[in-house]
Amino acid sequence: MATIIATTPFGVTEASRDLFSHSTISRKFTQLNIALSKYIEFERDLEAADCFDLAFQAWTTDAEAARKDVLHATDTITALPLERLEDRPLKRSAVLTRALIASDNEVEFTALHRLLDSFAPLFACCASSAVGTRVQQMLETCHSHLAAIAELGEFNDPLAAWAEPSSDAEPNTLIATSAI
């Protein structure tokens, strides 16, 4: 006769309580990260393209569609109610992403992008659980995408630096004050 001996420890076959499960916002935020990566890819294609290339119109259409997808994803996230505390930084990052994409000029974009560093705790998840760790990974991915967007020519206009007022008037005022 065989004797039944339990070789599997008790509770191993049960699901752990410390596993990550998506909330509605985190699921949509994952889609936002995918849309952001596509948007960056299409914008980089446009930067490297020649406007006389036959495929330029298709690339422009793709980039515009990717931008609409990003804006739609951010609108969806901001409209959703919070299900848990870890959703707050996701929602804040979505609001910031929308503001960055919709910004009108480089100065506004730069001011908004600096918010990530100035108010870093608001855009981070410090919870030590599995949910907190996964949310922080999603936020880091999003923030790296935002850094890549900041390097795009659409938001980083080198000619804008030339348009800023220079300090040519300073030497004249220094000479005038030293003469008095």
Side-chain angles (χ1 to χ4, degrees):
M1 265 325 305
T3 309
I4 299 175
I5 299 174
T7 57
T8 306
F10 218 46
V12 169
T13 57
E14 296 176 13
S16 173
R17 292 182 183 185
D18 197 33
L19 291 177
F20 175 75
S21 63
H22 274 290
S23 66
T24 309
I25 290 179
S26 66
R27 189 176 317 279
K28 295 293 182 184
F29 200 83
T30 301
Q31 294 171 358
L32 172 64
N33 279 336
I34 293 168
L36 277 172
S37 64
K38 288 180 183 179
Y39 174 70
I40 293 165
E41 179 183 346
F42 291 137
E43 286 295 328
R44 285 180 179 160
D45 286 347
L46 276 180
E47 285 183 357
D50 182 14
C51 65
F52 297 110
D53 191 345
L54 297 175
F56 186 78
Q57 183 63 34
W59 291 336
T60 305
T61 305
D62 290 343
E64 289 172 357
R67 182 177 190 272
K68 286 179 184 177
D69 289 345
V70 170
L71 294 177
H72 177 69
T74 58
D75 289 343
T76 302
I77 292 170
T78 55
L80 291 171
L82 295 174
E83 294 176 21
R84 56 185 177 206
L85 290 176
E86 290 85 358
D87 288 342
R88 282 186 179 171
L90 295 174
K91 199 167 191 174
R92 288 181 189 129
S93 291
V95 170
L96 180 64
T97 300
R98 179 169 186 36
L100 287 169
I101 299 293
S103 64
D104 292 331
N105 55 37
E106 179 193 1
V107 175
E108 182 181 352
F109 181 89
T110 304
L112 288 169
H113 192 256
R114 285 184 185 151
L115 293 175
L116 280 175
D117 293 330
S118 301
F119 299 100
L122 294 176
F123 299 102
C125 183
C126 300
S128 60
S129 64
V131 173
T133 303
R134 180 66 179 113
V135 166
Q136 185 59 32
Q137 289 173 347
M138 287 190 283
L139 289 167
E140 288 172 4
T141 301
C142 177
H143 298 166
S144 68
H145 288 326
L146 295 179
I149 289 173
E151 295 174 3
L152 292 173
E154 180 181 357
F155 301 107
N156 186 9
D157 187 12
L159 297 177
W162 290 89
E164 292 179 6
S166 62
S167 60
D168 293 340
E170 288 182 11
N172 293 336
T173 57
L174 288 175
I175 293 171
T177 54
S178 63
I180 296 178

